[in-house]
């Protein structure tokens, strides 16, 4: 009844907490990004991990050690071993996603995305990017996309906050206000 | 309703709405759906969200924020969950869930969010009421003092209900629980009570039949049905009683009177259990989550008779609970019994013997309604309770013994006639003046000599006399003027019962 995302979350949380407490969050984050790339690139790895699901065995701990060896920080390795012992290696992609979120919030990193209704002027984009970096730090990642369905205007998302200045958003608010009064 | 809105009113309404929400830019906090299934979404990032806050997805799906964990919020989806996918965003609204309330709801069938289900067009001119609201405090209340007549003589005499009271109707399946509630609604015709029937987890066809029954009796003119049937998502079934309560509070807060039926809280608790398991709350007794008591206490506490300073309005609650094999010691029955001001206990055994309504007078009680009972009713009902109790004892005893003395046989006959006389068909509410005459007859041995097969006929003749004979009319007039059982009224009742019932007696 538990889904993979729920299964993965405690592993990601434990890893983020431990790494943060030991001051190795950056190192572990690099491990996790590397792991994500491996998962993406290597079909054999994916198959191997998925095969674990139905046959949890302590011996697999050794196999994990053999596979990833010294390439990862001890915390990352311990987390992978725990996954292996519990036959849960298949949830690695969910661990990656959850870990990224948790690490972001621990490191105060904010992802900023700008969604324009029409192709923006380069000057507008660079001005907004500057503002974002000024507010959230020079390392802030800013993504820019265009969605003509928005009609006109712009949506800015930073972390969990959204500023909606689009025509579509304005119409939606109007429609809801009416729906409520009915 | 729509057509009654004049063009200039419509224009004013439009203008007002535009002003209220015409901010060019809107700032919200959102979370991202991690997973979704069985009507529950796990959402990451709604950090500041309140318990019970309404959240909305970008394609307009409403949700209720329920489980507040450290980094994941459980959202109960108040629509079909097929419109919610992993990666979708839910935005905070800053509002708790509210439902529309007001006169426009009368006569309508709506869902747990107050959305019309009857195809009779949109609701116009309503006021939002929060589904969760604090109950009135002690100083804002006064004692129950006005009867809430059910029209069922067995209840009005033995377990009288007062406005603002919470009286539980409890019994196994198919023992006439709903019928008692519906009869009570029917009996409010011509009074100032607004009725709300909340159907939780029932079959749609059952509620449709009930709607037709109310409609045919003209009772939809003052009734609203809130429907969350068995096929609705559990979160809507969970919400429905609170929604009905909020709609009723609209009237109470304005000095008016409301009656809410929750049919039934067993299914409500089951919907909540299902939701809680999906929200990964640790299950406790009977797999219910630990806070299931609070689920019903906070609902039923909102029933009240407000003080005069608060406008004197009232909200009466009749929750229904289904038992298994008469077991009132199961978790939900015990809880609800401890929250309410009394219970009407229905027994399958009585029901099958033809004793309907199948009320067991021995264990049915009303802890506060007696204060609201009419004086005359109180006077005739007093001996009734005692006589019925004696009858039950004797009956149990006599099943072991064959040779009974004349006195015992006589007592049994009186008791049997009394039990017979408080049988009542569905949909036939009885005015108080009739109830008093009937109980007077029963407790004064006027029914004993009548053969069993002619008893209903005799009772009908008694009621008929009240409207037609000289004595009957004198009684009715005197009762209407002052329902106090003094010598004059006693005299009239004695004469009336003798005249009307005499011809039926064997002796
Ligand atoms: N006083 C009565 N006299 C005759 N028949 C009755 C009486 N009360 C109820 N019935 C009949 O008994 C049946 C069951 O009644 P009702 O639906 O009220 O029971 P219930 O306890 O609410 O059932 P459920 O468990 O299905 O909710 C109905 O067909 C109803 O008409
Ligand atoms: Mg029923």
């Amino acid at each position: 009844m538990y889904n993979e995302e729920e299964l993965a979350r405690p592993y990601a949380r434990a890893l983020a907490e431990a790494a943060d407490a030991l001051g190795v969050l950056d190192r572990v984050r690099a491990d996790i990004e590397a792991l994500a790339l491996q998962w993406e690139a290597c079909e054999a790895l994916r198959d191997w991990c998925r095969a674990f699901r139905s046959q949890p065995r302590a011996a697999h701990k050794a196999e994990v050690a053999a596979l990833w060896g010294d390439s990862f920080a001890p915390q990352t390795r311990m987390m992978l071993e725990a996954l292996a012992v519990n036959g849960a290696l298949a949830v690695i992609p969910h661990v990656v996603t959850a870990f990224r979120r948790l690490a972001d919030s621990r490191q105060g990193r904010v992802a900023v995305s700008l969604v324009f209704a029409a192709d923006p002027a380069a000057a507008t984009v660079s001005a907004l990017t500057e503002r974002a970096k000024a507010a959230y730090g020079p390392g802030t990642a800013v993504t820019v996309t265009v969605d003509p369905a928005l009609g006109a205007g712009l949506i800015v998302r930073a972390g969990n906050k959204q500023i909606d200045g689009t025509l579509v958003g304005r119409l939606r608010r109007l429609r809801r206000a009416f729906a409520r009064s009915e | 309703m729509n057509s009654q809105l004049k063009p200039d009113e419509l224009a004013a309404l439009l203008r007002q709405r535009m002003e209220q929400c015409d901010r060019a830019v809107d700032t919200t906090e959102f979370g991202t759906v991690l997973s979704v299934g069985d009507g529950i979404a796990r959402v990451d990032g709604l950090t500041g969200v309140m318990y019970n806050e309404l959240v909305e997805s970008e394609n307009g799906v409403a949700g209720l924020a329920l489980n507040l964990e450290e980094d994941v919020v459980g959202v109960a989806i108040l629509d079909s969950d097929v419109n919610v996918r992993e990666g979708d965003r839910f935005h905070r609204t800053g509002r708790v869930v509210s439902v529309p309330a007001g006169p426009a709801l009368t006569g309508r069938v709506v869902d747990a969010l107050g959305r019309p289900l009857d195809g009779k067009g949109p609701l116009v001119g309503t006021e939002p009421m929060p589904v969760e609201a604090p109950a009135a405090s002690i100083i804002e209340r006064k004692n129950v003092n006005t009867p809430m007549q059910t029209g069922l003589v067995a209840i009005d005499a033995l377990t009288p209900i007062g406005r603002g009271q919470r009286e539980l109707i409890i019994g196994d399946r198919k023992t006439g629980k709903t019928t008692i509630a519906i009869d009570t609604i029917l009996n409010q015709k011509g009074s100032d009570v607004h009725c709300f029937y909340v159907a939780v987890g029932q079959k749609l066809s059952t509620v449709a039949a009930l709607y037709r029954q109310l409609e045919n009796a003209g009772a939809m003119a003052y009734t609203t049905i809130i429907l969350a049937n068995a096929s609705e998502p559990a979160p809507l079934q969970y919400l429905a009683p609170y929604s009905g309560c909020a709609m009723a509070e609209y009237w109470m807060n304005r000095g008016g009177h409301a009656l809410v039926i929750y049919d039934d809280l067993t299914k409500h608790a089951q919907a909540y259990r299902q939701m809680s398991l999906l929200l990964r709350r640790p299950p406790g007794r009977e797999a219910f989550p630990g806070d299931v008591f609070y689920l019903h206490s906070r609902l039923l506490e909102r029933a009240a008779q407000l003080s005069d300073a608060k406008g004197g309005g009232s909200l009466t609650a009749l929750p229904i609970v289904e038992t298994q094999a008469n077991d009132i010691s199961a978790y939900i029955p015990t809880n609800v019994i401890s929250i309410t001001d009394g219970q009407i206990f229905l027994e399958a055994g009585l029901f099958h013997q033809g004793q309907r309504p199948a009320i067991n007078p021995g264990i049915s009680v009303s802890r506060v309604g007696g204060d609201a009972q009419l004086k005359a009713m109180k006077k005739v009902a007093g001996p009734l309770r005692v006589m019925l109790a004696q009858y039950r004892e004797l009956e149990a005893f006599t099943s072991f013994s064959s040779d009974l003395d004349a006195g015992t046989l006589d007592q049994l006959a009186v008791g049997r006639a009394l039990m017979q006389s408080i049988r009542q068909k569905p949909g036939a509410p009885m005015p108080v003046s009739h109830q008093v005459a009937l109980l007077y007859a029963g407790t004064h041995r006027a029914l004993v000599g009548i053969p069993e097969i002619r008893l209903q006929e005799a009772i009908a003749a008694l009621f008929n006399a009240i409207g037609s004979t000289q004595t009957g009319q004198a009684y009715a007039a005197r009762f209407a003027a002052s329902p106090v059982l003094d010598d004059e009224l006693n005299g009239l009742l004695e004469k009336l019962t003798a005249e009307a019932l005499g011809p039926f007696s064997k002796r």
Side-chain angles (χ1 to χ4, degrees):
Chain A
M1 142 153 171
Y2 283 74
N3 59 45
E4 295 195 337
E5 181 272 316
E6 280 184 84
L7 213 55
R9 202 156 187 94
Y11 294 95
R13 194 185 295 146
L15 182 60
E17 276 169 14
D20 199 12
L22 296 168
V24 292
L25 201 52
D26 278 327
R27 169 80 213 275
V28 169
R29 191 181 182 113
D31 290 350
I32 292 294
E33 294 305 336
L35 187 62
L37 283 176
Q38 290 171 7
W39 185 271
E40 197 59 44
C42 183
E43 196 184 334
L45 175 67
R46 292 197 293 269
D47 290 344
W48 187 73
C49 288
R50 285 186 185 125
F52 265 83
R53 209 195 308 227
S54 54
Q55 38 173 324
R57 269 199 331 208
H60 287 148
K61 209 166 153 175
E63 288 183 46
V64 167
L67 186 62
W68 280 295
D70 293 338
S71 61
F72 289 154
Q75 292 75 28
T76 314
R77 226 165 41 229
M78 276 155 59
M79 189 275 295
L80 286 168
E81 282 169 8
L83 279 179
V85 168
N86 293 320
L89 281 172
V91 306
I92 282 180
H94 294 280
V95 174
V96 169
T97 328
F99 180 86
R100 280 184 186 138
R101 283 203 176 91
L102 293 163
D104 277 352
S105 80
R106 281 175 183 273
Q107 295 181 314
R109 276 199 225 178
V110 175
V112 174
S113 82
L114 309 172
V115 191
F116 292 90
D119 272 333
T124 311
V125 174
S126 63
L128 286 170
T129 306
E130 284 316 305
R131 293 269 291 274
K133 290 187 192 244
Y136 301 111
T140 304
V142 180
T143 55
V144 178
T145 46
V146 174
D147 181 1
L150 298 175
L154 154 78
I155 292 179
V156 181
R157 291 195 192 100
N160 296 325
K161 297 272 190 306
Q162 168 176 297
I163 303 169
D164 182 351
T166 62
L167 189 61
V168 162
R170 204 163 160 181
L171 287 171
R172 183 165 53 223
R173 290 195 292 283
L174 195 61
R175 196 168 57 234
R176 279 185 201 159
F178 271 101
R180 274 207 295 283
S181 72
E182 276 177 1
Chain B
M1 284 284 174
N2 230 352
S3 54
Q4 289 166 7
L5 209 62
K6 293 191 195 76
D8 51 336
E9 287 171 347
L10 184 64
L13 182 70
L14 268 166
R15 221 171 8 252
Q16 184 200 341
R17 291 289 156 211
M18 304 275 273
E19 275 160 17
Q20 269 174 17
C21 65
D22 198 27
R23 285 162 294 138
V25 174
D26 182 51
T27 309
T28 52
E29 194 186 313
F30 67 90
T32 312
V33 175
L34 297 172
S35 62
V36 60
D38 298 309
I40 302 288
R42 290 166 47 80
V43 178
D44 175 283
L46 283 168
T47 15
V49 78
M50 298 178 288
Y51 189 73
N52 266 324
E53 181 171 331
L54 185 69
V55 294
E56 275 169 345
S57 80
E58 278 161 13
N59 54 358
V61 177
L64 189 60
L66 283 176
N67 239 36
L68 308 182
E69 289 168 28
E70 191 188 345
D71 48 2
V72 182
V73 175
V75 169
I77 297 168
L78 299 171
D79 278 292
S80 159
D81 66 15
V82 298
N83 294 322
V84 179
R85 279 192 212 89
E86 197 185 313
D88 280 4
R89 278 179 287 269
F90 268 105
H91 292 259
R92 287 188 55 189
T93 63
R95 292 179 283 127
V96 293
V97 179
S98 62
V99 288
L105 269 297
T106 305
R108 304 297 303 263
V109 182
V110 297
D111 75 1
L113 290 174
R115 296 174 295 204
L117 295 172
D118 52 10
K120 292 187 179 169
L123 303 164
V124 177
T126 59
E127 184 169 311
M129 292 289 287
V131 295
E132 296 273 0
S137 69
I138 304 262
I139 47 163
E140 291 167 335
R141 297 173 186 246
K142 65 176 178 184
N143 285 345
V144 164
N145 63 4
T146 313
M148 165 66 66
Q149 302 287 353
T150 65
L152 293 161
V153 61
I155 294 175
D156 289 343
L158 297 171
T159 53
I161 302 168
R163 286 185 180 180
Q165 187 176 339
R166 303 157 298 181
E167 182 80 5
L168 170 66
I169 301 170
I170 184 167
D172 285 3
R173 52 182 306 275
K174 295 271 173 275
T175 49
K177 302 182 297 296
T178 302
T179 303
I180 286 180
I182 295 308
D183 279 351
T184 308
I185 292 182
L186 295 179
N187 197 45
Q188 304 313 309
K189 198 169 187 167
S191 82
D192 55 353
V193 178
H194 300 268
C195 300
F196 297 84
Y197 177 79
V198 182
V200 181
Q202 300 190 42
K203 282 199 308 238
L204 191 57
S205 58
T206 313
V207 186
L210 190 143
Y211 170 79
R212 277 194 300 278
Q213 193 191 342
L214 290 173
E215 177 77 39
N216 293 341
M220 282 309 290
Y222 53 88
T223 304
T224 306
I225 295 179
I226 296 94
L227 173 61
N229 57 284
S231 60
E232 298 279 351
L236 283 178
Q237 296 184 45
Y238 155 76
L239 207 57
Y242 303 99
S243 307
C245 185
M247 291 172 192
E249 276 170 339
Y250 172 93
W251 296 106
M252 174 173 75
N253 294 348
R254 281 163 181 73
H257 303 283
L259 167 71
V260 198
I261 318 278
Y262 304 112
D263 194 358
D264 62 57
L265 293 188
T266 311
K267 296 200 186 69
H268 181 234
Q270 284 161 359
Y272 185 62
R273 172 167 64 188
Q274 190 194 332
M275 241 170 73
S276 302
L277 291 174
L278 293 169
L279 286 165
R280 313 291 184 237
R281 291 190 178 147
R285 185 176 161 191
E286 291 180 27
F288 286 107
D291 62 348
V292 72
F293 179 83
Y294 178 59
L295 173 79
H296 291 149
S297 68
R298 73 177 196 268
L299 172 70
L300 295 172
E301 262 160 20
R302 287 160 73 180
Q305 165 67 64
L306 294 183
S307 66
D308 297 333
K310 276 279 167 184
S314 72
L315 193 165
T316 311
L318 296 183
I320 295 179
V321 161
E322 184 183 298
T323 49
Q324 307 284 332
N326 281 349
D327 181 13
I328 53 171
S329 67
Y331 196 24
I332 300 303
T334 330
N335 277 348
V336 182
I337 285 173
S338 74
I339 297 163
T340 46
D341 306 306
Q343 73 272 351
I344 294 166
F345 194 83
L346 303 178
E347 252 178 40
L350 291 171
F351 191 86
H352 296 309
Q353 284 163 32
Q355 182 64 38
R356 305 176 187 177
I359 299 167
N360 179 334
I363 51 176
S364 298
V365 292
S366 170
R367 283 188 273 276
V368 297
D371 301 343
Q373 216 171 13
L374 286 182
K375 290 235 169 54
M377 188 55 148
K378 213 172 181 144
K379 205 86 165 255
V380 288
L384 175 71
R385 182 176 277 284
V386 179
M387 289 165 90
L388 286 178
Q390 284 171 347
Y391 169 67
R392 270 195 317 281
E393 255 172 51
L394 271 181
E395 202 195 21
F397 172 71
T398 52
S399 52
F400 298 104
S401 136
S402 51
D403 56 334
L404 299 168
D405 60 76
T408 310
L409 283 172
D410 180 64
Q411 251 188 332
L412 278 173
V414 174
R416 204 171 299 126
L418 270 177
M419 283 300 275
Q420 293 262 341
S421 73
I422 58 174
R423 292 183 180 184
Q424 205 170 330
K425 289 250 162 336
M430 206 186 280
V432 205
S433 60
H434 289 202
Q435 293 184 14
V436 169
L438 176 63
L439 295 176
Y440 180 91
T443 51
H444 288 77
R445 310 178 52 87
L447 301 175
V448 193
I450 303 171
E452 225 172 277
I453 48 161
R454 297 200 68 192
L455 191 67
Q456 290 306 323
E457 195 189 337
I459 291 171
L462 174 67
F463 294 161
N464 190 34
I466 294 176
S468 55
T469 71
Q470 206 182 354
T471 317
Q473 281 164 352
Y475 161 73
R478 179 39 238 280
F479 190 90
S482 159
V484 180
L485 203 62
D486 52 13
D487 288 348
E488 188 194 3
L489 204 60
N490 256 317
L492 284 167
L493 277 168
E494 197 180 330
K495 193 154 174 248
L496 173 68
T497 47
E499 284 174 11
L501 300 174
F504 291 90
S505 188
K506 279 183 291 200
R507 279 171 285 193

